[in-house]
Amino acid sequence: MRKHIIKTPIAILSLLCSPALLANGQLSDNTPRLTALTHANLMLAPGEMLTDATLLIENRKIKAVIKDNDIPEGAFEIDLSGHTIYSGFIDPFTEYAIDYEREVEDKSGPVYEIKRIGGNASNGAIHSQMQWFNYVYPDKDQAKKWIDNGFTSVQSSYLDGIFRGQGVTLSLADKKANDVIYNAQSSQFMAFNKGSSVQDYPQSLMGSMALIRQTFADAKWYNQNKHKSSGETVEFNIALERLSDDKKQNFIFETKNLNNQLRAARLLNEYELSGSLIGNGREYARLTELKSFPFSLILPLSYPAAPEIIDGDNEREVSLASLRHWERAPSNLAMVEAAEIPFALTQYGIESDKFWPRLKLALTRGLSEEAALAALTTDAAEISGIDHLAGKLKPGFMADLVITDGNIFDEGKIVSIWLQGEERQLIKRDRSLLDTAYQIQLNELSFDLNITQSPSLAGTLSSGEDTIELANLDYQQGRLTFSADLSDAGFNGISRFTLWLDSQGLTGRLLDSHNQMFPFGGIKLEALEMTDKQDKPAQTALISKLTSPNVAYGLSERPAQDKVHLKNATIWTSDSSGVLLNSDLIISRGKIEEIGQNLKTPSGYVSIDATGKHVTAGIIDEHSHIALNGGTNEGSDAITSEVRIGDVINPDDIAIYRGLAGGVTTAQILHGSANPIGGQAQIIQLKWGDNAQQLKFEGAPASIKFALGENVKQSNWGDDFTHRFPQSRIGVKSLFSEAFNEALAYRKAQNDYNKMRSSERRRTVAPQYNYRLEAIAEVLEQTRNIHIHSYVQSEILMFLRLAEAYNFKVSTFTHILEGYKVADEMAKHGAHASTFSDWWAYKFEVYDAIPQNTCLMQNKGVLTSINSDDYEMQRRLNQEAAKSMMYCGMSAEDAWKMITINPAIQLGIQDKVGSLVEGKQADVVLWDNAPLSVYAKVDATWISGRRYFSREQDKTLQIEVAKERAALIQKVLLSDDAHKQGETPVELTEPEWHCDTHFNAWQQTAKGAL
């Protein structure tokens, strides 16, 4: 039976749309279109204007710039007299058109491993394999919020995770994805926040930074070893493969606050990578530090809302830093420009209708129009990887244009946007002139003409308080006609008007009721307003101070190195010289120059009469958790030796200033005690006003935090924590042994590989660099000191024996409240002790603690110190040391050494600090009383000869802070509503850190700006 094929209309349509038919048919008009935009002001590039010229467009691109308006024959001409053409604006940080939603596993309890799918990374926060051009799906409704502000292209990525994948730069044109993608593989996007990852690690800021380091190291190793011909196979990992050529890629790093922005800069710089940092609006506070890095900025215009200060109770909760930021945020762009740091602008984080008002506010605060335009065009194009086709009016570049009826940075309005050579009129070209108010001069009369276009054409003529409604309005291509009753103005009956509008103003004629003609002219009212504005320049004076750190009691400038002669004091040397009565001490060039009696004051030195006062070395705290951000514990694994406290030092912490007020000059900032092998420690000096890097004690030996006891095992953490090893104290010992064995094997593999011939190494897969094992190997090699949290004698003995079995020495047992029971064993091993003065019975494992612990250990030959492990206690360490005099008869000198030279020895910095000896670093404290007295107060504290605290200066600062605060509150109260508006900032809320503080940094994003 013969079959008949019936072609339905749908079938016919499918044939017509088939690629084969389209390839051979002429179903569309492919004739090139040549368009000339004539008599316009062309902003060719920032600071480069060409007046009364033509821009020629053909096939989506700029064909030519014609200076004399001599356009080719047959070109379609659009007369743009009085208009300005800019290159289309570019937003380099968006989520536009990424049609993707990450599937998140439904997990409860700790998650240590994720599903390995398709060669992905082992950590759920790493998505570097993602290439977001694969998910581009243009959305004209979403694009509108950029287009209305003059943006024609954006760089986009899916903003989730630490390594977020490779972004895409695309046009905002309403076309399919294939036609709008400009750069399919633009920048790699990064952040510290792990986002939607359900995996526990990392839970802290330092954990995120460690993961980034390890990932970069893994990518380098992967690239170098994946094709080696030895029998060992390198596991395929697409996430690492996409990072293999990191030196050739650009990185966009998002952070939420200034400290993290600087951390991101240091991290990228560490690996010699290129990139840009997402801003936070506080760049003005540390411009010198930001400028030292080779990175551009992408700055949002997220100005803070005025603080709530009407209610007196609320006012007390508002910090001086918040008040300062409210006033200074609009000046941030101008200050970044003045620092000559390249930057682009983004709408990210604000409502689109706030963008131009806030940018114009920044212009009144000193931002130049040239820098603003560069931030929207040339600099943004470079950051987005499309500077070869966008950002300038240049032949060969895309015809992505912004057309305005004036200076866009002043009163000019965007009238149309060109996207890939196709115009989208925001204001109908033949009606754009109606949006301007005019002043008409008719004989001796003056009228203001105002026209409204929505919902229909209407208008008024007004003079003083009198308003006349217009009738019979009609407008066609610059010609406006209407009628009005001007009888009260001396023109009886109905008068008829004809007006011709242009960019300069208007001309017109009036026909009165007798058909008598009266010619007249008019100007734009905005021209008059501009004159008024020039007569009344914007007020830009700032009340607030800019200090370092930019908080209350911050310093306006770094203290100079003093030349000081302290005369006739009681000097506690913490050295064999003991306590010197009626003696002098001279400081110069950051060192202790001379100690003696009746010394002569050198020329140019400041002399301070210290009669009745006491001079000591700066106090040193062996165990502290001040001055850090993002968590003191990375508690997500039993071993986290790769994390570094030095990564998260917070120079803005007021605890630094308070410590100085208590005579503290040096502190070891330790990881917490959530795991047996915690993170690497950082010794800092409390140099208030210095940046995070400057706080670090230069040349101090490396150290790490280990921990014993109840905190590290999870048997009492709750029902969700029953799977991670160790669950018992005996398991802790086993974990240490396993870690040491792994580190030994790791180092042996490295050494064996390095001994190979170069030809053999080229064929053999190299050992993978492992930051976690590297730190443990350093412990075994005794190049990294251990400071180990401990309480119970059995565990102390266990670790001593374990250390001796692996042939390394324990530096310091910290806390060690049962140290008196094993003092002989500790002394024999050579271990030190850093303990509390009189803490006991606050948990089960310290029931046997006694306040005589210090004396008993010290009498057995154990070098002993007192530490704080507490935010507040640090500034009272002098009193904590004095308690041993009361409890067990310790001498005053020995008590003082427990907080000066003894901790210095424990930290390996005794050659520089801890005692007053000629030639040592001038870390000096002047007290108004004997330093071990409960009445003693610090008069001044020097670090390296710089006076970072003085009580006299503190009193002055208290008065200045109160005055500045009051002035800023008045400025808020007197400001208009426009200057009070903004996003209510979410303050970074972090606890006062202690050993056992559990803080999941990435669950805090709703509470603070990490």
Side-chain angles (χ1 to χ4, degrees):
M1 182 176 178
R2 187 175 181 180
K3 294 183 179 179
H4 295 274
I5 299 175
I6 300 175
K7 295 180 178 177
T8 65
I10 295 177
I12 293 170
L13 180 62
S14 66
L15 283 173
L16 289 173
C17 294
S18 71
L21 186 58
L22 287 176
N24 296 316
Q26 293 295 323
L27 300 181
S28 59
D29 181 9
N30 294 318
T31 305
R33 294 184 60 191
L34 194 61
T35 303
L37 307 181
T38 62
H39 300 289
N41 297 318
L42 305 184
M43 186 63 75
L44 302 178
E48 189 178 347
M49 171 75 85
L50 188 63
T51 60
D52 192 23
T54 292
L55 195 70
L56 197 62
I57 300 171
E58 184 179 40
N59 290 339
R60 303 194 308 161
K61 293 188 175 182
I62 298 171
K63 183 176 179 62
V65 174
I66 302 172
K67 295 182 179 181
D68 58 5
N69 294 301
D70 184 13
I71 64 175
E73 186 178 350
F76 176 68
E77 180 180 1
I78 300 176
D79 188 340
L80 290 179
S81 298
H83 290 75
T84 302
I85 304 178
Y86 300 87
S87 177
F89 306 145
I90 304 160
D91 189 334
F93 188 73
T94 78
E95 289 185 284
Y96 170 71
I98 305 298
D99 188 16
Y100 179 83
E101 186 173 351
R102 179 159 286 127
E103 182 179 347
V104 179
E105 295 180 69
D106 186 13
K107 296 278 189 178
S108 61
V111 178
Y112 301 114
E113 295 180 349
I114 60 167
K115 292 169 64 175
R116 302 299 298 276
I117 303 173
N120 64 334
S122 60
N123 189 279
I126 299 174
H127 312 293
S128 48
Q129 74 277 10
M130 302 301 292
Q131 294 184 314
W132 295 113
F133 74 86
N134 288 303
Y135 300 90
V136 167
Y137 187 70
D139 182 337
K140 66 179 181 180
D141 293 330
Q142 189 186 26
K144 188 176 185 298
K145 68 179 182 180
W146 281 280
I147 292 171
D148 287 351
N149 282 333
F151 290 93
T152 57
S153 55
V154 298
Q155 182 174 218
S156 287
S157 173
Y158 190 71
L159 303 180
D160 177 65
I162 293 176
F163 286 89
R164 295 173 162 182
Q166 199 162 24
V168 55
T169 305
L170 64 157
S171 167
L172 292 167
D174 184 18
K175 299 179 179 179
K176 64 180 184 295
N178 310 62
D179 295 327
V180 299
I181 293 176
Y182 285 170
N183 185 352
Q185 298 172 311
S186 61
S187 301
Q188 278 279 353
F189 281 62
M190 293 182 66
F192 290 133
N193 190 331
K194 70 179 181 180
S196 63
S197 172
V198 298
Q199 194 166 357
D200 273 28
Y201 184 83
Q203 288 185 345
S204 66
L205 175 59
M206 59 182 161
S208 291
M209 297 184 73
L211 178 61
I212 291 170
R213 277 197 185 89
Q214 188 63 60
T215 302
F216 279 134
D218 290 348
K220 180 179 179 181
W221 170 86
Y222 184 86
N223 185 50
Q224 293 174 344
N225 291 275
K226 62 183 178 180
H227 296 309
K228 287 190 174 179
S229 59
S230 65
E232 186 178 352
T233 302
V234 175
E235 172 192 270
F236 172 71
N237 191 315
I238 188 61
L240 297 180
E241 188 161 304
R242 292 278 163 78
L243 290 171
S244 294
D245 295 326
D246 54 16
K247 295 291 191 297
K248 299 178 182 178
Q249 297 189 57
N250 195 65
F251 290 83
I252 304 290
F253 210 122
E254 181 191 12
T255 56
K256 299 294 186 185
N257 60 64
L258 182 56
N259 281 340
N260 279 0
Q261 185 181 33
L262 291 164
R263 290 178 181 116
R266 285 192 288 271
L267 200 54
L268 291 177
N269 206 44
E270 182 180 331
Y271 289 92
E272 299 179 337
L273 303 176
S274 60
S276 303
L277 309 172
I278 304 303
N280 50 76
R282 296 179 185 265
E283 285 74 18
Y284 60 84
R286 290 197 183 271
L287 284 170
T288 301
E289 194 173 355
L290 277 170
K291 190 176 179 180
S292 69
F293 297 105
F295 305 118
S296 57
L297 305 176
I298 301 173
L299 301 178
L301 299 177
S302 50
Y303 299 165
E308 293 288 340
I309 57 173
I310 300 300
D311 185 295
D313 292 335
N314 289 340
E315 178 203 319
R316 283 189 287 272
E317 299 299 319
V318 176
S319 67
L320 177 62
S322 296
L323 289 165
R324 285 178 174 178
H325 182 50
W326 168 77
E327 186 193 36
R328 285 187 175 267
S331 302
N332 186 56
L333 294 179
M335 296 180 73
V336 171
E337 178 193 356
E340 299 181 336
I341 302 173
F343 67 94
L345 297 175
T346 177
Q347 289 191 165
Y348 187 77
I350 66 170
E351 297 295 328
S352 59
D353 61 353
K354 303 293 193 303
F355 181 81
W356 277 105
R358 292 187 185 181
L359 181 53
K360 289 179 178 179
L361 178 57
L363 290 162
T364 68
R365 294 293 189 90
L367 175 67
S368 72
E369 292 183 8
E370 185 174 336
L373 183 59
L376 291 167
T377 54
T378 50
D379 288 341
E382 183 176 354
I383 291 171
S384 302
I386 56 171
D387 50 328
H388 61 291
L389 56 81
K392 297 179 180 179
L393 301 183
K394 183 177 179 180
F397 277 40
M398 294 299 298
D400 289 343
L401 314 173
V402 180
I403 299 178
T404 69
D405 66 354
N407 181 355
I408 194 171
F409 298 111
D410 194 355
E411 295 297 326
K413 298 181 179 67
I414 299 174
V415 297
S416 73
I417 303 293
W418 288 67
L419 297 160
Q420 298 188 345
E422 296 181 5
E423 184 179 22
R424 178 184 295 192
Q425 292 189 37
L426 303 185
I427 301 174
K428 292 292 185 181
R429 187 172 296 110
D430 64 341
R431 289 180 170 248
S432 61
L433 295 172
L434 295 178
D435 288 331
T436 301
Y438 297 87
Q439 188 176 83
I440 294 173
Q441 196 68 33
L442 183 60
N443 290 343
E444 296 181 359
L445 301 174
S446 179
F447 296 96
D448 290 349
L449 171 65
N450 287 278
I451 304 296
T452 58
Q453 300 187 63
S454 179
S456 59
L457 205 60
T460 60
L461 285 172
S462 58
S463 179
E465 296 181 358
D466 297 326
T467 299
I468 302 168
E469 297 291 335
L470 308 182
N472 304 314
L473 283 92
D474 184 62
Y475 180 76
Q476 298 293 334
Q477 298 182 343
R479 181 176 180 271
L480 175 66
T481 60
F482 58 84
S483 59
D485 185 351
L486 269 63
S487 299
D488 292 340
F491 294 89
N492 294 326
I494 302 298
S495 298
R496 291 167 292 164
F497 288 78
T498 303
L499 289 74
W500 290 270
L501 310 179
D502 59 31
S503 60
Q504 305 303 314
L506 61 82
T507 57
R509 69 187 182 204
L510 178 151
L511 291 176
D512 66 6
S513 57
H514 304 291
N515 275 350
Q516 185 176 354
M517 184 178 70
F518 297 87
F520 60 83
I523 60 173
K524 293 181 178 181
L525 276 176
E526 64 184 29
L528 296 176
E529 292 170 1
M530 283 299 298
T531 303
D532 292 341
K533 286 181 181 179
Q534 291 170 2
D535 294 339
K536 300 176 182 177
Q539 298 297 315
T540 59
L542 297 173
I543 295 172
S544 62
K545 293 183 178 180
L546 185 57
T547 62
S548 182
N550 198 36
V551 299
Y553 302 96
L555 303 182
S556 298
E557 58 183 1
R558 192 184 196 202
Q561 282 192 333
D562 284 346
K563 293 182 176 181
V564 177
H565 182 186
L566 297 171
K567 301 177 65 175
N568 202 31
T570 300
I571 299 178
W572 297 61
T573 66
S574 296
D575 189 61
S576 57
S577 301
V579 179
L580 307 176
L581 303 177
N582 302 317
S583 297
D584 298 358
L585 183 144
I586 296 177
I587 298 170
S588 175
R589 297 185 296 276
K591 303 287 186 180
I592 298 171
E593 186 175 307
E594 190 175 1
I595 299 175
Q597 290 186 325
N598 300 316
L599 300 178
K600 182 179 179 182
T601 303
S603 176
Y605 284 55
V606 175
S607 176
I608 298 177
D609 184 4
T611 303
K613 298 186 178 183
H614 295 247
V615 175
T616 71
I619 293 172
I620 299 172
D621 189 354
E622 181 272 346
H623 187 139
S624 175
H625 301 287
I626 67 164
L628 57 86
N629 288 136
T632 191
N633 276 298
E634 178 52 63
S636 56
D637 207 341
I639 301 174
T640 57
S641 46
E642 72 279 9
V643 306
R644 304 174 183 178
I645 289 291
D647 283 338
V648 294
I649 295 300
N650 173 19
D652 303 337
D653 191 347
I654 193 64
I656 297 172
Y657 186 70
R658 292 170 179 168
L660 288 166
V664 181
T665 56
T666 305
Q668 178 174 229
I669 314 303
L670 285 168
H671 187 277
S673 55
N675 36 20
I677 301 181
Q680 301 168 32
Q682 179 63 55
I683 300 171
I684 67 169
Q685 295 219 276
L686 276 59
K687 295 184 287 185
W688 180 243
D690 285 11
N691 65 42
Q693 296 303 101
Q694 292 168 330
L695 293 184
K696 295 178 181 179
F697 198 116
E698 187 176 351
S703 58
I704 192 170
K705 172 74 171 291
F706 279 31
L708 306 169
E710 290 297 306
N711 291 9
V712 306
K713 65 187 185 68
Q714 292 198 332
S715 56
N716 60 352
W717 281 29
D719 294 340
D720 288 335
F721 297 91
T722 58
H723 302 294
R724 193 181 87 182
F725 185 82
Q727 292 286 309
S728 64
R729 288 173 181 260
I730 195 170
V732 174
K733 189 261 185 185
S734 178
L735 180 96
F736 285 134
S737 297
E738 184 179 346
F740 295 154
N741 291 337
E742 285 288 329
L744 288 171
Y746 165 79
R747 186 65 89 217
K748 182 179 184 302
Q750 288 179 322
N751 293 335
D752 290 347
Y753 181 81
N754 291 332
K755 291 176 184 177
M756 292 179 181
R757 298 188 188 93
S758 58
S759 59
E760 190 177 0
R761 283 202 300 268
R762 284 195 294 269
R763 297 191 305 270
T764 305
V765 174
Q768 196 165 352
Y769 192 88
N770 187 305
Y771 282 98
R772 181 173 290 187
L773 290 175
E774 187 70 27
I776 299 172
E778 291 168 358
V779 168
L780 299 176
E781 295 160 352
Q782 299 192 78
T783 58
R784 183 174 295 279
N785 294 328
I786 288 179
H787 292 255
I788 184 164
H789 165 114
S790 55
Y791 288 106
V792 179
Q793 62 167 332
S794 59
E795 292 185 313
I796 299 166
L797 286 173
M798 175 274 291
F799 199 80
L800 284 172
R801 291 164 181 159
L802 190 65
E804 290 165 358
Y806 283 89
N807 199 30
F808 70 87
K809 182 180 289 187
V810 182
S811 173
T812 304
F813 286 92
T814 188
H815 301 336
I816 196 158
L817 296 186
E818 290 189 17
Y820 66 94
K821 297 181 180 181
V822 289
D824 287 329
E825 289 80 359
M826 290 173 61
K828 182 179 178 181
H829 178 84
H832 306 143
S834 186
T835 189
F836 300 131
S837 59
D838 57 357
W839 290 21
W840 68 82
Y842 56 89
K843 60 179 177 176
F844 179 80
E845 59 186 323
V846 297
Y847 280 2
D848 283 358
I850 58 174
Q852 294 81 15
N853 190 37
T854 53
C855 291
L856 292 173
M857 289 192 293
Q858 191 151 289
N859 291 342
K860 291 289 186 177
V862 178
L863 186 79
T864 303
S865 69
I866 294 289
N867 67 67
S868 72
D869 190 24
D870 182 85
Y871 237 66
E872 289 298 314
M873 185 178 289
Q874 184 178 83
R875 53 180 170 159
R876 298 191 301 275
L877 277 174
N878 62 320
Q879 297 175 29
E880 294 299 301
K883 290 178 180 178
S884 289
M885 297 167 61
M886 175 184 68
Y887 285 125
C888 53
M890 187 179 288
S891 71
E893 285 187 56
D894 284 344
W896 190 251
K897 287 180 180 179
M898 287 201 300
I899 55 172
T900 52
I901 191 61
N902 290 7
I905 294 170
Q906 292 169 353
L907 299 178
I909 53 177
Q910 70 274 17
D911 60 326
K912 297 181 179 179
V913 296
S915 59
L916 300 180
V917 176
E918 291 176 2
K920 272 195 174 184
Q921 185 171 304
D923 288 8
V924 178
V925 183
L926 177 63
W927 303 80
D928 68 353
N929 210 318
L932 291 166
S933 168
V934 72
Y935 300 109
K937 296 192 296 292
V938 171
D939 278 351
T941 304
W942 288 265
I943 300 176
S944 293
R946 300 179 191 271
R947 190 175 343 196
Y948 283 95
F949 173 84
S950 79
R951 192 157 298 278
E952 182 180 356
Q953 182 187 33
D954 179 71
K955 291 177 181 177
T956 301
L957 286 174
Q958 289 181 39
I959 296 170
E960 291 178 356
V961 165
K963 287 182 178 178
E964 182 184 357
R965 183 181 177 83
L968 285 169
I969 288 171
Q970 284 300 303
K971 187 168 186 177
V972 172
L973 294 173
L974 293 170
S975 294
D976 57 34
D977 289 340
H979 287 82
K980 291 182 180 180
Q981 292 174 4
E983 289 75 36
T984 300
V986 182
E987 297 290 343
L988 176 61
T989 54
E990 295 182 317
E992 294 183 353
W993 307 108
H994 297 277
C995 259
D996 56 354
T997 304
H998 284 266
F999 181 85
N1000 189 327
W1002 312 124
Q1003 291 179 356
Q1004 306 298 316
T1005 51
K1007 304 176 185 177
L1010 264 177

